[in-house]
Amino acid sequence: MSEKELYRQKMKARLDELMADIDKLKAKASGASADVKLKLTQHINDIEVKVDEGKAKLAELGNTKEERWESVKEGTESAWEALKHAVKDVSAKFK
C-alpha cells in the first residue's frame, strides 16, 4: 500500500472519530434547554461545514497523482486541524 493511501486511511479514521464526537454533541443538543439547543445547533452546523471541507480534501487527496499528493497533504492537515479545534471548542463550551 502506498504512503498516500496509508495517509488517506489515517485521515479518514480521524474524521470518523470526530464524526462520533459530533454525534455526541447532537445528542446533547436534543436534551438541552431551548436556548442551549439553539446555540449548540448553530455550532454543530458550523462544524458540519468544516466536515464537508475535510471530506473534500480527502477526496482531492484520493484523486491526486502519487507524485503530487504531498502538496495536497498540507491542505488536508489544515482542514483537519480546523475541524479538530472546532469540535473541541464546542465540546468545552457545552460540558
Side-chain angles (χ1 to χ4, degrees), residues 42-89:
Q42 289 171 342
H43 287 293
I44 290 169
N45 290 340
D46 292 341
I47 289 171
E48 287 178 334
V49 169
K50 291 183 183 342
V51 167
D52 290 341
E53 291 171 4
K55 287 179 180 178
K57 287 295 182 184
L58 276 177
E60 181 182 355
L61 181 65
N63 294 327
T64 302
K65 294 191 186 277
E66 198 65 37
E67 56 274 356
R68 290 182 13 112
W69 82 272
E70 286 284 340
S71 64
V72 177
K73 183 178 176 181
E74 282 184 35
T76 305
E77 288 289 335
S78 177
W80 161 254
E81 288 299 319
L83 177 57
K84 182 175 77 171
H85 288 294
V87 171
K88 282 185 178 183
D89 288 348

Side-chain angles (χ1 to χ4, degrees), residues 16-51:
D16 290 345
E17 289 175 16
L18 281 180
M19 292 300 296
D21 291 342
I22 293 167
D23 287 343
K24 289 176 189 172
L25 288 172
K26 287 179 181 180
K28 186 179 283 191
S30 69
S33 67
D35 241 11
V36 172
K37 184 175 185 173
L38 179 63
K39 289 177 184 176
L40 192 50
T41 300
Q42 289 171 342
H43 287 293
I44 290 169
N45 290 340
D46 292 341
I47 289 171
E48 287 178 334
V49 169
K50 291 183 183 342
V51 167

